[in-house]
Amino acid sequence: MNVDALKTMQVVCVDDEQEALEQMHLALNSFCKTTVCVSSTEKALLAIDELRPDIVLTDVRMPGASGLDLLESVKKKHPSIAVIIVSAHSESEYLLDAIRLKADGYLLKPLNLYEMLELLSSIATQKTMKKELDHKNFLLSLLNSIGGKRVQIIEYIISHLDDDLMFHGTYDEVAEASAPASRQWSTHSRSSWRIMY
């Protein structure tokens, strides 16, 4: 489980049963950046527009608009928000509809805390990795628009960052990668640089 990724997530939980909401809030509040719990699809849509959460966890059967209606609305208006459908064992026929509407996950009631956190962690990890990739791609496209030797050096450094966005290399390695074969720099000190966003 990627607890660090979970800590960056904002989650909206939707269930018409107060006890279920309290359990979700208690479980998620310790792991997620923000946890907002609401009792209807209508309240969820308002919370989603205001908060722009990363993940929505919704019961499928509720009075008024259902969790599937919420899933459809969220995917149309905010396709980057992950939506997880929660259903009782007897409601498994909703699974096909959830798949058709592109649900990001499906959990059965009664909720298993470990399974719920594993699914949320998996989604959070994917979202975190996508954000990091988007940042790197943005920097590379920005650098491509600048051109020149500096860009080659920066591109080399960015493409050799580790998972913590640290570059561990020598000046010789950077120079060798960016200079023509006939030109060599001769410094031997090793450096670590951190790229900050």
Side-chain angles (χ1 to χ4, degrees):
M1 182 179 334
N2 187 345
V3 176
D4 290 335
L6 272 176
K7 287 181 180 178
T8 67
M9 294 293 112
Q10 297 190 101
V11 180
V12 170
C13 301
V14 190
D15 201 310
D16 61 317
E17 296 176 21
Q18 189 61 34
E19 185 178 328
L21 277 181
E22 288 171 3
Q23 289 174 349
M24 284 190 276
H25 188 270
L26 185 64
L28 297 178
N29 203 40
S30 300
F31 290 96
C32 300
K33 178 179 178 180
T34 307
T35 305
V36 174
C37 296
V38 295
S39 59
S40 70
T41 297
E42 294 75 19
K43 291 177 183 176
L45 289 170
L46 293 172
I48 291 165
D49 284 340
E50 184 179 319
L51 183 64
R52 301 294 167 117
D54 301 288
I55 302 171
V56 173
L57 195 65
T58 182
D59 188 19
V60 74
R61 279 180 49 176
M62 296 179 286
S66 72
L68 293 174
D69 295 328
L70 177 60
L71 167 63
E72 188 171 20
S73 294
V74 170
K75 289 299 181 179
K76 282 181 183 173
K77 194 170 181 182
H78 309 286
S80 66
I81 295 176
V83 180
I84 299 170
I85 296 293
V86 179
S87 176
H89 291 283
S90 62
E91 300 168 341
S92 59
E93 69 270 10
Y94 292 115
L95 177 60
L96 292 176
D97 287 333
I99 291 170
R100 181 180 56 78
L101 294 169
K102 297 181 175 54
D104 296 275
Y106 195 88
L107 294 169
L108 293 176
K109 284 185 176 180
L111 284 176
N112 176 310
L113 177 62
Y114 181 77
E115 288 176 3
M116 179 178 69
L117 290 174
E118 279 294 322
L119 179 57
L120 289 172
S121 173
S122 174
I123 291 170
T125 300
Q126 291 172 12
K127 287 182 165 285
T128 301
M129 290 172 62
K130 183 181 181 323
K131 284 179 187 176
E132 289 174 3
L133 184 61
D134 288 347
H135 283 206
K136 284 183 180 180
N137 287 337
F138 171 76
L139 283 174
L140 288 174
S141 66
L142 181 65
L143 294 173
N144 282 334
S145 69
I146 297 170
K149 187 62 69 186
R150 288 185 200 162
V151 171
Q152 287 177 317
I153 293 169
I154 294 171
E155 282 178 335
Y156 177 82
I157 292 169
I158 289 173
S159 66
H160 289 81
L161 295 175
D162 66 12
D163 292 338
D164 296 322
L165 299 179
M166 295 288 292
F167 174 76
H168 304 279
T170 66
Y171 293 109
D172 285 337
E173 292 166 343
V174 174
E176 188 175 303
S178 62
S182 62
R183 188 173 168 199
Q184 296 288 324
W185 291 358
S186 59
T187 52
H188 300 286
S189 63
R190 193 139 185 96
S191 295
S192 293
W193 302 328
R194 182 164 178 82
I195 304 298
M196 301 298 287
Y197 296 104

